[in-house]
Amino acid sequence: MAITDPPKIVTSRIGYDDSHTLERYLATGGYEGLRKALAMTPEAVAAEVDAASLLGRGGAGFPAGRKWSMLRKAPVTYLVVNGDESEPATFKDHLLVERDPHQLVEGVVIAAFALQVSQVFIFLRGEFALGLERVQAALNDAYAHGAVGRDIFGSGFSVDVVVHPGAGAYICGEETALLESLEGKRGFPRIKPPFFPAAIGLYGDPTVVNNVETMSNLPWIVRNGGAAFAALGGGRSTGTRLFALAGHVHNPGVYELEMVTTTFDDLINAPVLGGGIPHGRGLKAFIPGGVSAPWFGPDQLDLPLGQDEVAEAGSMLGSGSVVVMDDHTCAVRAAWRITKFFSRESCGQCTPCREGSGWLERIMDRIERGEGREADLDLLLDACDNIAPGLTWPPQQTTICVLGSSIPSSISSAITMFRDEFLVHIKEGGCPYD
Amino acid sequence: MTEPTPLAPPRRAALAPAAPTHLSADVVARARQLIGLYPEPRSALIPLCHLAQEQDGWLTPEAMVDIAGLVGVTPSEVLGTASFYDMLHTEPVGRYVVAVCTNIACLLGGAGELLEHAEDSLGIGAGGTTPDGTVTLEEAECLADCDRAPCVQVNHRYVGAQSPESFDRLIDELRSGARDADIPPHGTLIRVHRANGLAVDPDVVVEERRAAAEAKAAREAAAAPATGGGA
């Protein structure tokens, strides 16, 4: 068993019933990282985050320190926290905002200090009604405690933090769509370049956008030093990471695991983690990093939970969600549902995504219903190829944002891994699992 | 209808900051507080739509006119934004919006069967509202509660994984008012309000924005080729 016992960096308080309160937070080291940061220079705080090699936890995995350094060359106006967590089967930020909102607030103020910004917006998906209330309550308490607002802890540094509710749109997790939404508009991703909101962000001003989990790591990193964080994990994947395990396992849930030293097999099958597949069934496939990621089969169980390791194997760690499908799962139905999701959530700006996702969904639907044709398999792959030419990994992009290029993953995975299953649907005129 | 449709008011009138006529004084006061949190008023548009839904249960045309006046856009721009978002309902919904997630993790957990049961049990299709106006049923995309599949939310509050039997009990509890304490009527999203205004003088942010713009202009001037062509 390769599971070590790493420090709980972002989930240390989750076991307490009152983990969301200021009292519990202060009793467990809360706001000590912020006090330490405020006694340092902003550059020194940023240097610790650089030293930690903290990769952004939103899905793209871009180093947070490098994102910040682009901004430190020029004045930054806004920090925006991305809590729009909507990637299917991803529910780690849900845990963090509901169960440890002060940790998020502390991380946000540390980041604001390092970047020297005086206004922060925490964008939370609107469906997090409890999370919105918990973060607002934490902010109210933190203002009263002197941890947010004017002259924080007597340091002379001041920042305002505002919670902003979204209104239900997957695309707003894309950072430029999020900014449009925060400006009171439809969540339409912006044309790139610029590739980062560093240049043109909120209201056109320089802005840094970071994920909730990324921010939540900062109090620990400042308290313990970037080197202590970088000592965990391996390669580019340092520290611990939250993995959201869902689907056919005994113990679905969010697990904080050390990167790289833990494998998918550990996560899915270890008794203290996923606990294996119920009903004595076998593993058919798993999706390693959100539904935008190509699927893996049992052969890839031994892969480590590391960003580069998963990328080299042809998929991605993405948002840290792992979906397990047992051998009674219909691959066609699973891929159809994922495609339907993309079709519903396409913002509609780009033709390949808007039209492609709709046609793919209809073709997948007719195959699942037993009305497909054998030629549909080539048709599906051809349509996928029009969205992401070559069907390579990482995918080629024909659209403004990566929602489009994410669409083909599930279909091409399902056809590649389970072609026979499609043919059975077509030849027998129905789903063999019904 | 025999009465002629009245002519739309001139666009200029819509742009004028008309006093709110539909939203209550309390809601308008909270709306103004929210607007004050943003460097540009339009950023409060979506939070204000949530507020309007708290008052009316859905986003009425009258509320959209008020919101437009409050944030300085046209009513059609409010509708244009609101119609993009699943949570903003521009048609009436029931007192309880019951969302059944059928995305991949919930599909694997039996969400398809649960949604079918819900449709049969309530006698409506997904997207429909029961005739008594109590329940609107929605087929939702992932709601980020995948370890409790199939996931159900009522008015955006998690109620845990549901079986067909527990779903029926849930609906009974909603109808009887037994869940009123933890599940407010549809539209009430956030019951914890911000206790304070901004601590940093908004002029500081204005100055930061100006400095950023100047720095950017200076960088662009420095990066421009010395013998640049064109006008």
Side-chain angles (χ1 to χ4, degrees), chain A residues 74-75 77-78 85 88-91 94 98 118-119 121 125-129 133 136-137 140 143 149-150 158-162 164-169 171-172 181-188 200 203 205-206 246 248 252-253 291 323-325 329 333-334 337 340-341 344-345 347, chain B residues 37-40 42-47 50 77 79-81 83-88 101-105 107-109 112-113 139-148 153 155-158 189-201 204-205 208-209 211-212 215-216 219:
Chain A
T77 312
Y78 303 107
E85 186 169 64
T90 309
F91 48 106
H94 173 197
E98 273 187 13
S118 51
Q119 187 144 26
F121 297 98
R125 68 178 294 186
E127 293 89 343
F128 284 163
E133 291 178 344
Q136 185 60 65
N140 289 346
Y143 267 97
R150 193 189 303 275
S158 303
V159 65
D160 274 304
V161 181
V162 170
H164 181 92
I171 193 59
C172 290
S181 186
L182 187 48
E183 291 182 3
K185 301 169 188 162
R186 298 166 81 84
F188 282 165
I200 303 174
Y203 317 122
D205 298 333
H248 293 141
V291 297
V323 179
V324 178
M325 296 184 256
T329 306
R333 194 166 184 218
R337 185 60 188 85
K340 178 180 170 181
F341 162 75
R344 276 178 78 166
E345 297 296 338
C347 83
Chain B
L37 300 176
Y38 297 92
E40 301 199 1
R42 184 171 178 159
S43 279
L45 193 153
I46 288 170
H50 284 306
E77 285 172 299
L79 176 60
T81 293
S83 59
F84 186 79
Y85 296 95
D86 289 345
M87 290 175 67
L88 302 177
C101 172
T102 60
N103 208 306
I104 184 70
L107 179 86
L108 299 176
E113 294 74 12
E139 180 183 6
E141 294 300 344
C142 184
L143 297 166
D145 203 32
C146 321
D147 51 347
R148 297 189 291 170
Q153 273 194 337
N155 295 347
H156 309 296
R157 265 125 182 120
Y158 295 106
L189 185 65
I190 310 167
R191 294 166 298 179
V192 178
H193 302 308
R194 191 180 171 95
N196 51 283
L198 293 183
V200 178
D201 187 340
V204 171
V205 176
E208 284 172 357
R209 296 181 70 181
K216 189 176 164 209
R219 281 197 310 279

Side-chain angles (χ1 to χ4, degrees), chain B residues 57-149:
Chain B
W58 60 289
L59 191 56
T60 64
E62 295 80 10
M64 285 191 267
V65 171
D66 280 6
I67 292 167
L70 284 163
V71 303
V73 300
T74 63
S76 65
E77 285 172 299
V78 176
L79 176 60
T81 293
S83 59
F84 186 79
Y85 296 95
D86 289 345
M87 290 175 67
L88 302 177
H89 295 274
T90 53
E91 289 179 4
V93 290
R95 181 177 173 87
Y96 301 106
V97 173
V98 177
V100 177
C101 172
T102 60
N103 208 306
I104 184 70
C106 290
L107 179 86
L108 299 176
E113 294 74 12
L114 178 64
L115 182 65
E116 263 181 37
H117 170 82
E119 289 178 331
D120 290 345
S121 171
L122 292 166
I124 51 176
T129 301
T130 54
D132 64 353
T134 307
V135 176
T136 295
L137 182 66
E138 284 187 344
E139 180 183 6
E141 294 300 344
C142 184
L143 297 166
D145 203 32
C146 321
D147 51 347
R148 297 189 291 170

